[in-house]
Amino acid sequence: MPQLTSLRLLFSNYPPIFSPIKPHLPPFPPKPTGFQPLRNFALSLVIPSPYASSTSRPRATRPQPPPPPLTIKGSRSKSSSAGEAAKKESEGLSMEGTGSVGFNRKRAEGRDCSDRPKTLHKKVRMLNPTNTICYVQVLGTGMDTQDTSPSVLLFFDKQRYLFNAGEGLQRFFTEHKIKLSKIDHIFLSRVCSETAGGLPGLLLTLAGMGEESGLSVNIEGPSDLKFLVNAMKSFIPNAAMVHTKSFGPSTNNAGIAAAEPKECSEPIKLVENQVVKISAILLQPRYSDSEITTPSGSETVMNGKPGSAGKPGDLSVIYACELPEIQGKFDPIKAKELGLRPGPKYGQLQKNQSVKSDLLGVMVHPSDVMGPPIPGPIVLIVDCPTTFHLQNLLTNNALSTYYADFSGNPSGYKRAANCIIHLSPSSVASTPDYQRWMMRFGSAQHIMAGHEAKNLQIPILKSSARIAARLNYLCPQFFPAPGFWPVPCMDSLAHNNTSSEGPECISAENLLKFKLRPCSSLGLDRANIPSITSHKEVIDELLSEIPEIVNAAQQIRQSWDNSVHTDGNANNNSLMMEEPCLNDSTLPSCLDNIKREDTEIVLLGTGSSQPSKYRNVTSIYINLFSKGSLLFDCGEGTLGQLKRRFGLEGADNAVRSLRFIWISHIHADHHSGLARILALRRDLLAGVPHEPLLVVGPWQLKGFLDAYQKLEDLDMQFLDCRHTTQAAWVAFENSLGMTDAEEVRVKRNHDVHTTTLFAAGSPMQSYFKRPSTPADHSVAFPSLKKLKAMLDEAGLESLISFPVVHCPHAFGVTLQAAERTNRVGKVIPGWKIVYSGDTRPCSELIEASRGATILIHEATFEDGMVDEAIAKNHSTTKEAIEVGISGGVYRTILTHFSQRYPKIPVFDETHMHNTCIGFDLMSINMADLLILPKILPHLKLLFKNEMLVEDSCDVVEAIAAAVS
């Protein structure tokens, strides 16, 4: 493969990136004169240069003294011409320096024109009444993890209708090559995090499609939809939600649904065109005098008082999808008997038009010459979430017309449902009353799509499960999630209900279809159901593809045996003797005698912007074991990732143990999974004495959470990130022991914006001067007291937020553990974890990283895409590594990779000796930090085939660009 490397060097106009699959290449040639190390053009910084020595010099095997600091002044890079700067300015980029640490000031201040909402187009398709293909299909989102409701797709040649949009829907679409842009309508059976958790990400993805304009989809749901729409407006452009429509009873000022009997007893027509009529039938819960239900269905008593009315989130919907009848066959013999000559009049009669007889002079009507019509098939999608809704389901007159025993239809015309898809949970669907209700549909096919135990062992996202299984084989210590759970005996996967007394029903499977057109194919279709793959099959494929992976796995196991000794700490020098590269960093004193039960970092999502097949969006789980846990960011699908890592019961325990959740900024890929986590915790702790969960985040997040809580109670308390900065903590500590009057004065005078990043003369000086919601000092100190108490209980010394350069009110965070004492009475300092959030390299981040044990840094772009990183205020891989080197960080973990790098990012391995690339579900124990960099060569081996393909594509693109 040396030709590939030569071509990459030939066509690259930025310093070439080492190919991670060629460790045998000679040293990199000296740096070009225009190359600059890490710099900050916005501030005057003193940053140690990691490139002080020539790159052509062989690497030392022992630690070297740090190079002299390099003083950087705020000057513009010589490589950027005035013309390029003018072009960037005209595009709204307003660069503050265009070197490796320049940044997009307008984007950081929320004024970037690229962030302005586009003119979104509502999709209007040409209807095709003569569709030849139509089916309803179960999309198995959440079937294996039971974290969200499955979706249902109604497919026509030219139209797509989607029912429910739970978390993980975009990943599912990508996995199974379903085009999101083809969806015309989205219908919600309920409005809650379980059925609509994937809606924000979906809307943002549609809005971003295309260069000039995006797409907007029609969204319809019960009247509670308005609460969700109002909540999403805090981070989604209004243009993306202009085509939303709610129906059903409205709520009063107290949030109580007051429905008129007629409105709930008659179908509500939503869509009616040449191909389908879709109607909604409302279900309202009926409570006794002592019961009321939460939006998720758990029984509670409100404030000890009886309640009998519903509230937002309680409404559920049954959707009836009716295809038009098929016209009967034309009878030319009857037409001839009525005096019609063959010709255009035959066609008019088939178009339902009456004509005059050519010979008899009488009017001939279509019914005279056409056979009886064939009724169109009918599909019902039923969501009865609780037994309180069941009472309304059993007595709802709007459903009677679809029963097999209904006598109100015209003689000889049957209109009974052909297929019923049940989204109702098994706890409801298995009750005798529900089973008897199902029997009323006669021979209709019932598909049970509630959470079925049989689907737990079959991963829905097989691509990511396959990667997890391969990583688990290579290094189970860092990748404990097996990807594939044991497949049960095939007898337990029986499809049909063999009970002679119950209705004919089957358990839903992923991508199961029920065909509706053509009529000759009416019925079930299992052709698209993915085959069951076992863990053994994945590993056998790996061994066949990469035979040398066996030795790699053995080497890792041997290294672990050598480094992890019997007393459970990580202080072992034998590994460093074997691996000279690990001598570059002395083991920090905070890791002395550290136990495996101390701390573990689980990367639940390592992708950026939107989820992909292999990487979910950002979320980091900090497991403190017996002392609790916490989350840094909570992107869509976080709950599902917890269940893939810990199993169903383990994930529930993880959510129960949460001390607090910290959110870096308002972008949806960092917080859109928050509502689902909070709702589950509320349900798990219902009836158990507990405190609301503390959510620390930017002030805009509070607007979303406050609006969302009108829909369902999230049982949380909010604290602004600005109240957890270093200056805020100092003011809080100073207020302890003060009189009430002194404390009020401190609160009034405290400036939570104190930071050098926004100091006078800084390019970001105007950042906090822009109008925004002021911090509420009256509630900050009580929340800080609660946070401080939780930190103490968890063995943590501090949690400090600091501003970073990305978008308005973007933050990074530092988590410091408290000191501990070992067995001989020696005081050991606590470890320090720094998380960058999304950012350009900046002084605040470098200062926060000083002496950190672990820096988790975003690395959205590869080194050659500096301009893109500046435009979006993200970092490149090299920049992230340089921040870690400049801060003297012991280990740097890279995450938040662009989805253009689906499996493994492009990186230069020259300075990766203290750095590791993050993968979804990767679990890093503090006791294993010493060995962490050693797995990098083996990861390159595991993904070598993917790297070869990517390198080949790069070469082809470079040649094409050079020729043109």
Side-chain angles (χ1 to χ4, degrees):
M1 301 298 295
Q3 297 85 353
L4 293 177
T5 304
S6 300
L7 286 170
R8 288 176 68 92
L9 295 175
L10 176 63
F11 292 108
S12 175
N13 48 16
Y14 190 81
I17 305 169
F18 275 124
S19 170
I21 59 171
K22 308 178 191 65
H24 61 279
L25 289 178
F28 190 60
K31 302 183 296 294
T33 56
F35 179 75
Q36 297 284 353
L38 178 64
R39 305 190 300 174
N40 190 313
F41 291 86
L43 304 164
S44 296
L45 299 178
V46 178
I47 303 174
S49 173
Y51 296 102
S53 60
S54 171
T55 54
S56 61
R57 185 183 305 168
R59 282 185 56 199
T61 59
R62 305 180 68 178
Q64 299 295 317
L70 179 64
T71 303
I72 306 297
K73 299 295 183 182
S75 59
R76 187 175 297 276
S77 171
K78 296 179 180 179
S79 62
S80 296
S81 65
E84 291 174 342
K87 179 181 179 182
K88 293 179 186 292
E89 189 70 34
S90 67
E91 294 173 350
L93 299 185
S94 183
M95 299 301 176
E96 293 294 335
T98 54
S100 59
V101 290
F103 67 92
N104 182 348
R105 178 174 177 177
K106 287 188 175 181
R107 183 175 180 85
E109 295 181 345
R111 300 182 294 113
D112 190 354
C113 62
S114 65
D115 286 339
R116 296 172 187 169
K118 303 175 181 179
T119 302
L120 306 183
H121 296 294
K122 182 179 178 181
K123 287 177 283 188
V124 179
R125 304 185 191 278
M126 295 293 294
L127 295 177
N128 180 11
T130 58
N131 279 296
T132 57
I133 298 176
C134 174
Y135 56 81
V136 63
Q137 186 173 33
V138 177
L139 308 183
T141 53
M143 277 188 172
D144 54 343
T145 53
Q146 298 192 358
D147 62 309
T148 189
S149 173
S151 298
V152 178
L153 177 68
L154 179 60
F155 177 97
F156 293 91
D157 284 349
K158 300 294 182 181
Q159 292 84 35
R160 313 283 193 276
Y161 301 95
L162 184 69
F163 299 86
N164 287 345
E167 291 188 5
L169 187 64
Q170 286 192 80
R171 290 192 81 184
F172 184 91
F173 276 30
T174 304
E175 172 88 13
H176 298 288
K177 297 180 173 60
I178 300 174
K179 290 185 177 180
L180 184 61
S181 60
K182 298 292 185 182
I183 302 297
D184 297 274
H185 286 74
I186 298 176
F187 301 94
L188 300 179
S189 63
R190 283 176 288 137
V191 185
C192 61
S193 58
E194 185 180 3
T195 59
L199 197 56
L202 186 148
L203 291 176
L204 287 170
T205 299
L206 284 172
M209 288 183 173
E211 295 295 331
E212 300 298 331
S213 63
L215 296 174
S216 179
V217 69
N218 302 281
I219 306 171
E220 302 188 44
S223 55
D224 309 327
L225 178 61
K226 64 178 177 290
F227 295 109
L228 179 62
V229 170
N230 290 336
M232 292 191 299
K233 285 180 180 178
S234 61
F235 61 94
I236 294 180
N238 288 340
M241 298 181 289
V242 295
H243 305 300
T244 58
K245 176 184 176 182
S246 59
F247 50 84
S250 58
T251 55
N252 57 28
N253 293 333
I256 303 300
E260 299 178 3
K262 180 180 179 182
E263 191 168 21
C264 287
S265 61
E266 294 184 358
I268 303 171
K269 186 167 60 178
L270 304 176
V271 174
E272 186 170 23
N273 52 42
Q274 295 97 315
V275 297
V276 69
K277 182 177 81 170
I278 300 178
S279 304
I281 301 170
L282 295 177
L283 290 182
Q284 280 192 310
R286 295 179 181 176
Y287 304 119
S288 66
D289 292 338
S290 60
E291 295 170 325
I292 195 166
T293 185
T294 66
S296 62
S298 59
E299 297 178 20
T300 61
V301 178
M302 300 288 288
N303 301 322
K305 299 178 181 180
S308 58
K311 57 187 182 301
D314 274 354
L315 281 176
S316 186
V317 182
I318 297 174
Y319 287 102
C321 308
E322 305 177 50
L323 275 63
E325 64 181 21
I326 297 178
Q327 195 175 40
K329 188 175 181 180
F330 177 76
D331 190 342
I333 298 177
K334 288 185 178 180
K336 185 176 180 180
E337 292 175 351
L338 292 172
L340 287 173
R341 297 190 181 97
K345 292 183 179 181
Y346 279 20
Q348 290 177 281
L349 287 167
Q350 295 180 61
K351 293 179 181 178
N352 206 31
Q353 300 174 6
S354 299
V355 298
K356 188 174 182 179
S357 173
D358 297 317
L359 302 178
L360 304 180
V362 297
M363 292 300 296
V364 180
H365 303 285
S367 58
D368 297 330
V369 295
M370 303 294 295
I374 302 174
I378 298 174
V379 175
L380 298 181
I381 300 171
V382 180
D383 187 356
C384 181
T386 71
T387 53
F388 301 116
H389 294 79
L390 181 57
Q391 300 305 314
N392 187 208
L393 177 71
L394 299 177
T395 59
N396 199 308
N397 293 329
L399 289 167
S400 58
T401 183
Y402 304 109
Y403 295 144
D405 56 1
F406 181 64
S407 59
N409 288 326
S411 178
Y413 185 88
K414 289 191 175 182
R415 196 167 170 266
N418 301 86
C419 176
I420 300 99
I421 299 178
H422 300 266
L423 302 179
S424 310
S426 57
S427 59
V428 175
S430 60
T431 60
D433 286 343
Y434 197 96
Q435 293 285 308
R436 283 192 292 270
W437 175 77
M438 291 171 60
M439 293 287 289
R440 299 195 63 182
F441 292 96
S443 61
Q445 178 66 68
H446 295 271
I447 300 176
M448 312 308 292
H451 292 153
E452 300 287 329
K454 68 173 288 292
N455 290 313
L456 297 180
Q457 293 85 4
I458 307 172
I460 299 301
L461 303 175
K462 292 183 67 173
S463 296
S464 61
R466 178 176 173 271
I467 293 294
R470 292 160 72 100
L471 288 167
N472 174 255
Y473 174 84
L474 176 65
C475 184
Q477 295 85 355
F478 283 129
F479 304 98
F484 292 79
W485 302 101
V487 177
C489 176
M490 292 304 295
D491 292 341
S492 65
L493 300 182
H495 297 297
N496 296 323
N497 182 354
T498 56
S499 173
S500 58
E501 298 180 0
E504 181 183 355
C505 62
I506 64 168
S507 294
E509 297 178 77
N510 185 30
L511 300 183
L512 174 69
K513 291 181 181 179
F514 187 90
K515 286 189 173 181
L516 304 173
R517 295 275 168 82
C519 298
S520 58
S521 301
L522 185 70
L524 292 170
D525 179 7
R526 292 191 173 91
N528 292 93
I529 296 176
S531 58
I532 298 177
T533 304
S534 67
H535 184 273
K536 182 179 183 302
E537 291 173 330
V538 174
I539 301 307
D540 289 344
E541 177 191 27
L542 171 62
L543 299 181
S544 174
E545 178 184 336
I546 311 175
E548 55 269 35
I549 203 71
V550 176
N551 292 331
Q554 291 175 349
Q555 291 175 19
I556 291 178
R557 284 194 293 271
Q558 183 178 1
S559 297
W560 229 279
D561 293 339
N562 293 335
S563 63
V564 179
H565 44 73
T566 55
D567 63 2
N569 66 48
N571 190 6
N572 191 340
N573 293 325
S574 62
L575 180 63
M576 292 194 292
M577 295 290 292
E578 297 175 3
E579 295 294 328
C581 68
L582 298 183
N583 284 316
D584 290 349
S585 180
T586 304
L587 189 72
S589 58
C590 64
L591 298 181
D592 185 27
N593 289 315
I594 196 165
K595 306 297 182 181
R596 302 196 65 82
E597 298 77 19
D598 186 283
T599 307
E600 181 184 56
I601 299 172
V602 182
L603 305 179
L604 297 176
T606 56
S608 68
S609 182
Q610 63 189 59
S612 70
K613 286 170 62 175
Y614 305 104
R615 293 184 184 270
N616 201 50
V617 288
T618 303
S619 183
I620 302 168
Y621 179 75
I622 309 295
N623 187 3
L624 303 175
F625 296 94
S626 62
K627 296 180 180 180
S629 62
L630 54 121
L631 277 172
F632 286 164
D633 281 334
C634 190
E636 177 188 336
T638 292
L639 178 57
Q641 291 293 86
L642 278 172
K643 296 197 174 189
R644 293 181 181 96
R645 168 60 181 87
F646 296 107
L648 299 190
E649 184 177 350
D652 287 349
N653 293 333
V655 173
R656 283 191 191 96
S657 70
L658 283 172
R659 296 280 185 173
F660 59 86
I661 299 175
W662 184 91
I663 304 297
S664 62
H665 60 290
I666 195 62
H667 288 167
D669 58 323
H670 291 256
H671 73 81
S672 58
L674 185 57
R676 191 75 194 99
I677 291 286
L678 293 174
L680 175 62
R681 180 182 181 272
R682 173 204 65 207
D683 294 343
L684 293 173
L685 297 178
V688 178
H690 67 280
E691 292 288 330
L693 186 65
L694 187 64
V695 176
V696 185
W699 67 266
Q700 306 103 312
L701 183 63
K702 185 177 188 299
F704 165 71
L705 293 173
D706 287 347
Y708 190 91
Q709 288 204 104
K710 295 179 181 178
L711 176 63
E712 58 177 336
D713 177 32
L714 296 180
D715 192 23
M716 52 74 60
Q717 180 180 347
F718 183 80
L719 178 62
D720 195 324
C721 277
R722 292 176 293 178
H723 293 303
T724 60
T725 62
Q726 182 69 55
W729 280 111
V730 169
F732 168 73
E733 295 291 346
N734 291 339
S735 71
L736 298 179
M738 291 181 177
T739 64
D740 293 342
E742 290 173 330
E743 185 173 343
V744 169
R745 186 175 66 255
V746 170
K747 292 178 181 179
R748 184 185 305 116
N749 297 332
H750 170 51
D751 180 12
V752 297
H753 302 155
T754 302
T755 168
T756 58
L757 184 61
F758 307 102
S762 164
M764 293 294 291
Q765 179 183 359
S766 64
Y767 178 84
F768 277 119
K769 294 183 178 181
R770 300 178 63 243
S772 65
T773 301
D776 188 351
H777 303 299
S778 64
V779 300
F781 279 28
S783 297
L784 282 175
K785 289 179 181 178
K786 178 179 178 179
L787 177 57
K788 180 61 176 174
M790 286 189 296
L791 292 173
D792 292 340
E793 292 173 3
L796 301 173
E797 180 179 309
S798 64
L799 176 133
I800 300 174
S801 303
F802 54 89
V804 294
V805 180
H806 179 60
C807 68
H809 296 272
F811 291 87
V813 67
T814 297
L815 186 69
Q816 178 83 47
E819 293 179 344
R820 54 191 171 90
T821 304
N822 65 10
R823 290 176 297 185
V824 297
K826 178 183 177 182
V827 177
I828 300 174
W831 46 257
K832 178 181 176 181
I833 298 174
V834 178
Y835 171 47
S836 69
D838 286 7
T839 184
R840 292 290 296 146
C842 63
S843 60
E844 294 283 330
L845 175 57
I846 295 172
E847 187 61 33
S849 301
R850 301 276 181 206
T853 314
I854 295 177
L855 168 64
I856 305 173
H857 200 298
E858 71 118 297
T860 308
F861 295 101
E862 61 183 279
D863 297 348
M865 301 185 70
V866 177
D867 288 343
E868 288 82 354
I870 292 174
K872 297 295 184 181
N873 278 344
H874 285 296
S875 299
T876 66
T877 301
K878 179 168 69 68
E879 289 172 334
I881 296 172
E882 287 177 342
V883 169
I885 295 174
S886 299
V889 174
Y890 179 61
R891 292 289 182 257
T892 300
I893 301 172
L894 304 182
T895 186
H896 198 268
F897 302 110
S898 168
Q899 303 300 0
R900 60 171 47 87
Y901 318 116
K903 293 183 181 179
I904 189 167
V906 177
F907 59 90
D908 179 353
E909 62 180 311
T910 307
H911 301 281
M912 295 285 286
H913 54 280
N914 288 332
T915 305
C916 181
I917 293 173
F919 290 86
D920 279 19
L921 308 185
M922 187 177 188
S923 302
I924 304 167
N925 195 290
M926 279 289 181
D928 298 331
L929 289 183
L930 179 66
I931 200 174
L932 181 61
K934 190 176 181 181
I935 69 168
L936 185 61
H938 304 297
L939 291 176
K940 292 185 296 183
L941 173 64
L942 184 65
F943 293 99
K944 68 174 185 176
N945 293 336
E946 284 79 5
M947 293 176 177
L948 288 171
V949 172
E950 291 173 3
D951 270 2
S952 301
C953 294
D954 290 346
V955 170
V956 172
E957 292 174 0
I959 293 175
V963 172
S964 59

